[in-house]
Amino acid sequence: MRPKILYPLFGPLTSIKGIGPKNASLLEYLCGNYIVNLLTHSPASYIDRRNNPKIKDLKEDSIVTLTITVESHAPSFNKRMPYRINCSDETGIISVVYFNARAIYIKKLFPINSKKVISGKVEAYNDIYQMAHPKYVVNLNELENIKQIECVYPLTAGITSRILRKSIDSALTTCVDLPEWIPEDIINKNGWLSWKKSLINLHKPKEIYTNIIDNKYLNRLAFDELFSHQLKLRLVRNKLTLIKGNSLKPTNKLINVLESNLDFKLTIDQIKSINEISQNLSSENKMLRLLQGDVGSGKTIVAIFALLQVVENNKRGILMAPTELLAQQHYETIKKFLKDLKISISLITGSVKNNRDYKADIIIGTHALFQEDASFTDVGLLIIDEQHKFGVHQRILLNEKAGNECDTLLMTATPIPRTLELAAYGDMDISKLVSMPLNRKAIITKSMSNDKISDLKTALLKKIKNNEKIYWVCPLVEESETSSIQSVTARLKDLQSFYGNEVVSMIHGKMKNDEKNQIMANFKMGNTRILIATSVIEVGIDDPDATVIIIENSERFGLSQLHQLRGRVGRGTKESSCILLFQKPLTDTAKKRIKIMKETNDGFKIAEEDLIIRGSGETLGTRQSGLPDFRLCDLSIHQSILEMARNLSIETIKTDPTLKTSNGKAQRTLLHLFNNEVAIDYIKSG
């Protein structure tokens, strides 16, 4: 139950003076349902109106506050021409400009010979400075009406800056003094104020920080948000360590057969990860581990070793994939590796209606496995592949359905920057596959403008004659009237007319699974040589004969997605290449992405660069939707704050695991404040 002290902060937006039902609905869409959501809607930037120069010292495109004398009016007799008010100070002249102005209103606002204070952006026009539509026009005795430092907030349609600022100002009156949850030494070391005072200073600043990281008020609030999240993860982790696992020690009866049948050497990282997972499975404590591996690093074989250790102990292993296509691929791969072993393997997906074996030694399927009436017994290990879309709550739910004592291994082919790793997976142990298999050759990445497509099509003829296969990726399924982006359907017609209908096929997410499976089967068998696709091939397509991938309108993709797509080739022994097609002109950001892609194949380095370029807001929202949706912190900036929050959460659980001390009780309030109160359920005594 939420503490009473927080009740004012969790009141509806309509309880704030000046917010009616219409604006409340728009504000809810923008930031959330409660007053606290409005209070934690952080400014994106600030406007500084403290610059009070003389006219002679003005600089173009600067925001200034000027004291001027009104000299004369120059009304416009042409609607396309502006209304001008000629003004001056002792050093020079400036024009105040209004378009589509009402003369009566302007004359009343700017009486001749009156002194006014105006604030706005200065521009140069015909060698004379002018200020168009000043933000503020006040008398000398009304200077307090001009905000010296003005917050600029992210907006949504229907909400103006003025309405939002007024709403936040009203919301600030509901702020309450909350008990301090941060130890005094950390407060003093960083020069932080209380939560309430930091929030007030965030929205009503008295100074501007050039670098966001220097803003001590935002840093304090970002720390609160991160500490709340890290504390939740630690409490969940603490609970899981108390749950007894199955203690599945390897007998090596099956594992030795697999090892002897391998026609390749495991990498150092694969061996290390296999051993880490094996130790977890052998332990009496429950395993919760994340296996990170770059595209093509060999996660599947690591998973197979884990599954065999489970089967050796007469337990069942379940591997869950996000798509039927990937589930089918895992099924075929695992069957191939385990063909000499007498164990049962079952594929259960939405399209597989018959012969479902829920008692097989190894069960492979989609998340629909846990949405059906089937019950699984003796599950020793649950492997969730590509499930970075699942947050901590979903992971717990899936695990509970498989059985609380069951070990859990998550796998992702999306290399995660350390900062995001700590933020999202603080409740887990982590293994990484960084090194690539010995026979893998680096993919050569080139860029090419769209006007060179004709030359590219000609160059690909040699690849087709050599029986190599090609992926051609387009962003859209159908041509859009409002976009010049090439669609897969348009590109299909283009390439079929050049190469022939029998050479080129198409696949996209709107197709039925049976149709997609058939198209992929034809491509793998070599019946077609060019596969035009949307980013549906980003996950789950594995063909060692595919040596070229062309990504059209590559400037529209994020770095991590480009890297994922590139990883669809280079899976065999032949030299492979990635062609990044782009539409001129390129933005600076697009240029950076293409440059990085050409410089490195290291997914972990690319992930770090992606975080720097895009910032955590976009990265969290699009690439890793299961990562926490932070409101105050930016993980691309607040790495050091995250480390502090993590360290304090670890220390807190060591010294006060049930949050019983005075600090602990305040920390319970913090968990409720950021909607992490679910963690309190994991405190045995509380």
Short mmCIF file of all heavy atoms in Angstrom, two decimals, residues 538-575:
data_model
loop_
_atom_site.label_atom_id
_atom_site.label_comp_id
_atom_site.label_asym_id
_atom_site.label_seq_id
_atom_site.Cartn_x
_atom_site.Cartn_y
_atom_site.Cartn_z
N GLU A 538 16.25 -9.62 -39.58
CA GLU A 538 17.19 -9.18 -38.55
C GLU A 538 17.49 -10.30 -37.57
O GLU A 538 18.59 -10.43 -37.07
CB GLU A 538 16.62 -7.96 -37.82
CG GLU A 538 17.53 -7.37 -36.77
CD GLU A 538 16.88 -6.20 -36.06
OE1 GLU A 538 15.90 -5.64 -36.56
OE2 GLU A 538 17.36 -5.85 -34.98
N VAL A 539 16.48 -11.09 -37.27
CA VAL A 539 16.62 -12.17 -36.30
C VAL A 539 16.18 -13.48 -36.94
O VAL A 539 15.13 -13.55 -37.56
CB VAL A 539 15.78 -11.91 -35.04
CG1 VAL A 539 15.80 -13.11 -34.12
CG2 VAL A 539 16.29 -10.69 -34.29
N GLY A 540 17.01 -14.52 -36.77
CA GLY A 540 16.54 -15.86 -37.07
C GLY A 540 16.78 -16.38 -38.45
O GLY A 540 16.27 -17.43 -38.81
N ILE A 541 17.51 -15.71 -39.30
CA ILE A 541 17.84 -16.20 -40.62
C ILE A 541 19.30 -16.61 -40.65
O ILE A 541 20.18 -15.81 -40.34
CB ILE A 541 17.57 -15.14 -41.72
CG1 ILE A 541 16.13 -14.62 -41.63
CG2 ILE A 541 17.87 -15.70 -43.08
CD1 ILE A 541 15.08 -15.64 -41.94
N ASP A 542 19.57 -17.85 -41.01
CA ASP A 542 20.94 -18.35 -40.97
C ASP A 542 21.18 -19.21 -42.21
O ASP A 542 20.72 -20.33 -42.31
CB ASP A 542 21.15 -19.17 -39.70
CG ASP A 542 22.61 -19.59 -39.52
OD1 ASP A 542 23.46 -19.16 -40.34
OD2 ASP A 542 22.91 -20.33 -38.57
N ASP A 543 21.91 -18.65 -43.18
CA ASP A 543 22.24 -19.35 -44.40
C ASP A 543 23.72 -19.11 -44.70
O ASP A 543 24.11 -18.01 -45.07
CB ASP A 543 21.38 -18.87 -45.57
CG ASP A 543 21.51 -19.76 -46.80
OD1 ASP A 543 22.58 -20.39 -46.97
OD2 ASP A 543 20.57 -19.83 -47.59
N PRO A 544 24.58 -20.13 -44.56
CA PRO A 544 26.02 -19.94 -44.75
C PRO A 544 26.41 -19.56 -46.18
O PRO A 544 27.52 -19.09 -46.42
CB PRO A 544 26.61 -21.30 -44.37
CG PRO A 544 25.48 -22.26 -44.45
CD PRO A 544 24.25 -21.51 -44.14
N ASP A 545 25.50 -19.79 -47.15
CA ASP A 545 25.79 -19.45 -48.54
C ASP A 545 25.47 -18.00 -48.88
O ASP A 545 25.76 -17.54 -49.99
CB ASP A 545 25.03 -20.37 -49.49
CG ASP A 545 25.48 -21.82 -49.38
OD1 ASP A 545 26.68 -22.05 -49.14
OD2 ASP A 545 24.62 -22.72 -49.50
N ALA A 546 24.85 -17.28 -47.94
CA ALA A 546 24.55 -15.86 -48.16
C ALA A 546 25.81 -15.04 -47.88
O ALA A 546 26.34 -15.05 -46.78
CB ALA A 546 23.41 -15.41 -47.26
N THR A 547 26.31 -14.36 -48.91
CA THR A 547 27.58 -13.65 -48.79
C THR A 547 27.47 -12.14 -48.97
O THR A 547 28.44 -11.42 -48.73
CB THR A 547 28.59 -14.18 -49.83
OG1 THR A 547 28.04 -13.98 -51.14
CG2 THR A 547 28.88 -15.65 -49.61
N VAL A 548 26.31 -11.66 -49.39
CA VAL A 548 26.12 -10.23 -49.61
C VAL A 548 24.80 -9.79 -48.99
O VAL A 548 23.78 -10.46 -49.18
CB VAL A 548 26.12 -9.86 -51.11
CG1 VAL A 548 25.92 -8.34 -51.28
CG2 VAL A 548 27.42 -10.29 -51.78
N ILE A 549 24.81 -8.68 -48.27
CA ILE A 549 23.57 -8.07 -47.82
C ILE A 549 23.60 -6.60 -48.23
O ILE A 549 24.59 -5.89 -47.99
CB ILE A 549 23.33 -8.23 -46.30
CG1 ILE A 549 21.97 -7.63 -45.92
CG2 ILE A 549 24.46 -7.62 -45.47
CD1 ILE A 549 21.49 -8.04 -44.54
N ILE A 550 22.53 -6.18 -48.86
CA ILE A 550 22.38 -4.79 -49.29
C ILE A 550 21.28 -4.18 -48.44
O ILE A 550 20.16 -4.70 -48.38
CB ILE A 550 22.02 -4.71 -50.79
CG1 ILE A 550 23.18 -5.28 -51.63
CG2 ILE A 550 21.73 -3.27 -51.21
CD1 ILE A 550 22.75 -5.92 -52.88
N ILE A 551 21.58 -3.08 -47.78
CA ILE A 551 20.61 -2.42 -46.91
C ILE A 551 20.25 -1.08 -47.54
O ILE A 551 21.06 -0.16 -47.58
CB ILE A 551 21.16 -2.23 -45.49
CG1 ILE A 551 21.61 -3.58 -44.91
CG2 ILE A 551 20.08 -1.61 -44.59
CD1 ILE A 551 22.34 -3.47 -43.58
N GLU A 552 19.03 -1.01 -48.05
CA GLU A 552 18.58 0.18 -48.75
C GLU A 552 18.12 1.24 -47.76
O GLU A 552 17.52 0.92 -46.73
CB GLU A 552 17.46 -0.19 -49.72
CG GLU A 552 17.23 0.84 -50.80
CD GLU A 552 16.56 0.28 -52.03
OE1 GLU A 552 16.46 -0.95 -52.16
OE2 GLU A 552 16.16 1.09 -52.86
N ASN A 553 18.39 2.49 -48.08
CA ASN A 553 18.08 3.59 -47.18
C ASN A 553 18.64 3.31 -45.78
O ASN A 553 17.96 3.42 -44.76
CB ASN A 553 16.58 3.83 -47.11
CG ASN A 553 16.02 4.39 -48.40
OD1 ASN A 553 15.37 3.67 -49.14
ND2 ASN A 553 16.29 5.65 -48.67
N SER A 554 19.91 2.96 -45.75
CA SER A 554 20.57 2.60 -44.50
C SER A 554 20.60 3.75 -43.51
O SER A 554 20.72 3.53 -42.30
CB SER A 554 22.00 2.12 -44.78
OG SER A 554 22.75 3.14 -45.42
N GLU A 555 20.48 4.97 -44.02
CA GLU A 555 20.48 6.14 -43.13
C GLU A 555 19.27 6.16 -42.21
O GLU A 555 19.24 6.91 -41.23
CB GLU A 555 20.55 7.44 -43.95
CG GLU A 555 19.27 7.85 -44.68
CD GLU A 555 19.07 7.15 -46.01
OE1 GLU A 555 19.91 6.28 -46.36
OE2 GLU A 555 18.11 7.50 -46.73
N ARG A 556 18.25 5.34 -42.54
CA ARG A 556 17.03 5.29 -41.73
C ARG A 556 17.12 4.29 -40.57
O ARG A 556 16.23 4.25 -39.72
CB ARG A 556 15.84 4.91 -42.61
CG ARG A 556 15.57 5.86 -43.76
CD ARG A 556 15.05 7.15 -43.29
NE ARG A 556 14.75 8.07 -44.38
CZ ARG A 556 13.60 8.66 -44.55
NH1 ARG A 556 12.62 8.44 -43.72
NH2 ARG A 556 13.42 9.48 -45.56
N PHE A 557 18.16 3.49 -40.54
CA PHE A 557 18.32 2.47 -39.50
C PHE A 557 19.28 2.94 -38.42
O PHE A 557 20.21 3.70 -38.68
CB PHE A 557 18.86 1.16 -40.10
CG PHE A 557 17.91 0.47 -41.04
CD1 PHE A 557 17.92 0.75 -42.40
CD2 PHE A 557 17.02 -0.47 -40.58
CE1 PHE A 557 17.07 0.10 -43.27
CE2 PHE A 557 16.15 -1.12 -41.44
CZ PHE A 557 16.17 -0.83 -42.79
N GLY A 558 19.07 2.45 -37.19
CA GLY A 558 20.00 2.70 -36.10
C GLY A 558 21.23 1.81 -36.25
O GLY A 558 21.23 0.81 -36.98
N LEU A 559 22.31 2.16 -35.54
CA LEU A 559 23.56 1.42 -35.64
C LEU A 559 23.39 -0.05 -35.27
O LEU A 559 23.86 -0.94 -35.97
CB LEU A 559 24.61 2.04 -34.71
CG LEU A 559 25.65 2.96 -35.34
CD1 LEU A 559 26.57 3.51 -34.27
CD2 LEU A 559 26.47 2.21 -36.39
N SER A 560 22.73 -0.31 -34.15
CA SER A 560 22.58 -1.68 -33.68
C SER A 560 21.78 -2.52 -34.67
O SER A 560 22.09 -3.69 -34.89
CB SER A 560 21.92 -1.70 -32.30
OG SER A 560 22.80 -1.17 -31.33
N GLN A 561 20.74 -1.93 -35.26
CA GLN A 561 19.95 -2.67 -36.23
C GLN A 561 20.76 -2.94 -37.50
O GLN A 561 20.67 -4.03 -38.08
CB GLN A 561 18.67 -1.90 -36.58
CG GLN A 561 17.66 -2.76 -37.32
CD GLN A 561 16.34 -2.05 -37.55
OE1 GLN A 561 16.27 -0.82 -37.59
NE2 GLN A 561 15.27 -2.81 -37.73
N LEU A 562 21.56 -1.97 -37.94
CA LEU A 562 22.43 -2.19 -39.09
C LEU A 562 23.39 -3.35 -38.81
O LEU A 562 23.63 -4.20 -39.68
CB LEU A 562 23.22 -0.92 -39.41
CG LEU A 562 22.46 0.24 -40.05
CD1 LEU A 562 23.36 1.47 -40.15
CD2 LEU A 562 21.92 -0.14 -41.42
N HIS A 563 23.93 -3.37 -37.60
CA HIS A 563 24.87 -4.44 -37.24
C HIS A 563 24.17 -5.80 -37.20
O HIS A 563 24.73 -6.81 -37.65
CB HIS A 563 25.51 -4.13 -35.89
CG HIS A 563 26.50 -5.16 -35.44
ND1 HIS A 563 27.66 -5.44 -36.14
CD2 HIS A 563 26.48 -6.00 -34.37
CE1 HIS A 563 28.32 -6.40 -35.50
NE2 HIS A 563 27.63 -6.74 -34.43
N GLN A 564 22.95 -5.83 -36.66
CA GLN A 564 22.18 -7.07 -36.64
C GLN A 564 21.93 -7.58 -38.05
O GLN A 564 22.08 -8.77 -38.34
CB GLN A 564 20.85 -6.85 -35.94
CG GLN A 564 20.93 -6.71 -34.42
CD GLN A 564 21.20 -8.03 -33.74
OE1 GLN A 564 20.49 -9.00 -33.95
NE2 GLN A 564 22.23 -8.06 -32.92
N LEU A 565 21.55 -6.70 -38.94
CA LEU A 565 21.28 -7.07 -40.32
C LEU A 565 22.55 -7.57 -41.00
O LEU A 565 22.54 -8.57 -41.71
CB LEU A 565 20.68 -5.89 -41.08
CG LEU A 565 19.25 -5.51 -40.71
CD1 LEU A 565 18.87 -4.15 -41.29
CD2 LEU A 565 18.26 -6.57 -41.21
N ARG A 566 23.63 -6.87 -40.78
CA ARG A 566 24.91 -7.27 -41.37
C ARG A 566 25.30 -8.69 -40.94
O ARG A 566 25.89 -9.44 -41.72
CB ARG A 566 26.01 -6.28 -40.98
CG ARG A 566 27.38 -6.65 -41.50
CD ARG A 566 28.40 -5.54 -41.30
NE ARG A 566 28.62 -5.21 -39.91
CZ ARG A 566 29.45 -4.26 -39.49
NH1 ARG A 566 30.11 -3.52 -40.38
NH2 ARG A 566 29.60 -4.02 -38.19
N GLY A 567 24.92 -9.05 -39.74
CA GLY A 567 25.26 -10.37 -39.21
C GLY A 567 24.55 -11.53 -39.88
O GLY A 567 24.82 -12.69 -39.58
N ARG A 568 23.63 -11.22 -40.80
CA ARG A 568 22.97 -12.31 -41.55
C ARG A 568 23.91 -12.95 -42.57
O ARG A 568 23.62 -14.06 -43.05
CB ARG A 568 21.73 -11.78 -42.28
CG ARG A 568 20.62 -11.25 -41.39
CD ARG A 568 20.20 -12.25 -40.35
NE ARG A 568 20.78 -11.93 -39.06
CZ ARG A 568 20.87 -12.79 -38.04
NH1 ARG A 568 20.50 -14.03 -38.18
NH2 ARG A 568 21.37 -12.41 -36.89
N VAL A 569 25.01 -12.26 -42.92
CA VAL A 569 26.00 -12.84 -43.83
C VAL A 569 27.28 -13.11 -43.05
O VAL A 569 27.40 -12.78 -41.88
CB VAL A 569 26.27 -11.92 -45.05
CG1 VAL A 569 25.01 -11.73 -45.87
CG2 VAL A 569 26.84 -10.57 -44.61
N GLY A 570 28.25 -13.72 -43.73
CA GLY A 570 29.51 -14.04 -43.06
C GLY A 570 29.43 -15.24 -42.16
O GLY A 570 30.24 -15.40 -41.25
N ARG A 571 28.43 -16.11 -42.39
CA ARG A 571 28.24 -17.29 -41.54
C ARG A 571 28.88 -18.54 -42.13
O ARG A 571 28.83 -19.60 -41.53
CB ARG A 571 26.76 -17.50 -41.28
CG ARG A 571 26.17 -16.38 -40.43
CD ARG A 571 24.71 -16.45 -40.22
NE ARG A 571 24.32 -15.47 -39.23
CZ ARG A 571 23.95 -15.73 -37.98
NH1 ARG A 571 23.92 -16.96 -37.56
NH2 ARG A 571 23.63 -14.76 -37.14
N GLY A 572 29.44 -18.43 -43.31
CA GLY A 572 30.17 -19.52 -43.92
C GLY A 572 31.65 -19.21 -43.99
O GLY A 572 32.18 -18.37 -43.26
N THR A 573 32.36 -19.88 -44.88
CA THR A 573 33.81 -19.69 -45.01
C THR A 573 34.17 -18.69 -46.10
O THR A 573 35.33 -18.28 -46.21
CB THR A 573 34.49 -21.03 -45.30
OG1 THR A 573 33.90 -21.62 -46.47
CG2 THR A 573 34.31 -21.99 -44.11
N LYS A 574 33.19 -18.29 -46.92
CA LYS A 574 33.45 -17.36 -48.01
C LYS A 574 33.49 -15.92 -47.50
O LYS A 574 32.85 -15.58 -46.52
CB LYS A 574 32.37 -17.49 -49.09
CG LYS A 574 32.38 -18.82 -49.83
CD LYS A 574 31.31 -18.84 -50.91
CE LYS A 574 31.31 -20.17 -51.65
NZ LYS A 574 30.22 -20.21 -52.66
N GLU A 575 34.26 -15.08 -48.22
CA GLU A 575 34.31 -13.66 -47.90
C GLU A 575 32.93 -13.03 -48.14
O GLU A 575 32.30 -13.28 -49.16
CB GLU A 575 35.35 -12.96 -48.77
CG GLU A 575 35.60 -11.51 -48.38
CD GLU A 575 36.73 -10.90 -49.17
OE1 GLU A 575 36.44 -10.41 -50.29
OE2 GLU A 575 37.89 -10.92 -48.71
#
